[in-house]
Amino acid sequence: MTHQSEQIDAVRKAWHDDPDIGELADRLHLIPRETEPACQWRVVGEVPSIAARRKATPLAREALATADVEDDVSLEPAIRESDETLAAEVRSTLRAEPLLTEVLVMESGDRPPALAQPWIGVIASDGIIHFGGWVPELSLAALAEGLAWETGACRDVRNLISYQPLNENPDAAIAEAATTLMREHPRLGDQPIHVEVSLGEATLSGTVSDDKKWQLAESLCWFAPHVRAVDNQLEISGELT
């Protein structure tokens, strides 16, 4: 067995052993680069789980002991829409978000506004949402990405929204975005859920009324960008709400 084959086998074992990936490992592929680009390896595939999509490439990097692994894993959308419909839905969702009322959500082809005006540009291509623009806080950029994922119609989100100040605590911003996604969801808004994030690892605590809401809260937490792991410590009360 060649060294390259051993490396691929090590990554596949890491995928199969992970509880969020498991059998979904058969949908993932580790491709070596024959030329000399920035990354030596590339992870490709489409999976139906946001947790599996988030974890596939970091697990490959860990197994290969290198950061030179390109992430090209996409989420299998629950809904198939045209790019035009997808972009319009994401713009509408952002415009309806109370925390983004001061942010101008722009149509494709619009010219950026004056420097003092926060803005987000939205483009969809092959089911992938591309964000540009700037907002005053990292938590707002994270929230925009989470809202795009929540549509259930996008394969990936490429978030190039800049923010100020650049030294904002990323863990606090991730926690705030995840909390907002849960608070504003019609099935979780009345559930006492607390989110803490440390080095990208999120911990959920509190109670929910049933196991479906338990799973929904975990999925929404994964929608927040830069989440590396989710420790779901929510208790199930069994009380109907």
Side-chain angles (χ1 to χ4, degrees):
M1 180 180 292
T2 66
H3 178 58
Q4 188 177 95
S5 297
E6 292 176 348
Q7 290 176 299
I8 293 174
D9 286 346
V11 171
R12 297 205 63 79
K13 183 178 186 303
W15 287 339
H16 277 288
D17 290 347
D18 185 86
D20 290 309
I21 298 180
E23 294 181 356
L24 296 178
D26 294 335
R27 297 190 179 202
L28 299 168
H29 305 279
L30 180 67
I31 301 175
R33 296 281 197 173
E34 301 300 333
T35 56
E36 297 182 359
C39 292
Q40 299 177 356
W41 299 88
R42 179 170 171 243
V43 179
V44 300
E46 186 176 83
V47 291
S49 160
I50 183 64
R53 184 261 173 269
R54 292 287 198 198
K55 296 175 76 173
T57 299
L59 283 171
R61 290 170 179 155
E62 182 178 341
L64 294 168
T66 177
D68 291 337
V69 181
E70 181 182 352
D71 183 0
D72 199 16
V73 180
S74 60
L75 182 68
E76 182 180 69
I79 308 168
R80 298 282 183 177
E81 296 180 339
S82 68
D83 288 337
E84 183 178 356
T85 300
L86 173 58
E89 181 178 356
V90 171
R91 292 187 196 105
S92 177
T93 300
L94 297 184
R95 288 167 180 155
E97 168 54 49
L99 293 178
L100 296 175
T101 54
E102 301 300 320
V103 178
L104 178 63
V105 179
M106 300 176 58
E107 301 287 335
S108 176
D110 288 351
R111 296 184 62 181
L115 292 178
Q117 171 65 57
W119 63 279
I120 297 176
V122 182
I123 297 175
S125 175
D126 193 25
I128 299 174
I129 288 293
H130 298 263
F131 282 136
W134 78 272
V135 291
E137 300 174 14
L138 171 58
S139 59
L140 298 180
L143 176 59
E145 180 171 335
L147 291 170
W149 280 116
E150 197 178 355
T151 64
C154 64
R155 297 176 55 243
D156 202 0
V157 180
R158 309 287 169 82
N159 192 345
L160 296 179
I161 301 173
S162 62
Y163 56 89
Q164 296 178 344
L166 295 178
N167 61 350
E168 183 178 353
N169 183 341
D171 284 336
I174 295 169
E176 184 175 345
T179 299
T180 300
L181 291 172
M182 295 178 204
R183 183 179 62 242
E184 296 185 355
H185 195 283
R187 293 177 56 200
L188 294 179
D190 60 348
Q191 306 292 291
I193 300 174
H194 181 65
V195 183
E196 290 186 1
V197 179
S198 177
L199 299 177
E201 298 185 0
T203 300
L204 304 183
S205 59
T207 59
V208 291
S209 59
D210 57 60
D211 56 354
K212 290 184 178 180
K213 291 179 180 177
W214 187 94
Q215 185 60 59
L216 175 61
E218 182 171 321
S219 295
L220 288 176
C221 192
W222 278 110
F223 284 159
H226 310 301
V227 170
R228 298 173 53 248
V230 178
D231 181 11
N232 193 342
Q233 298 183 12
L234 290 171
E235 296 182 359
I236 300 175
S237 67
E239 299 177 0
L240 296 178
T241 58

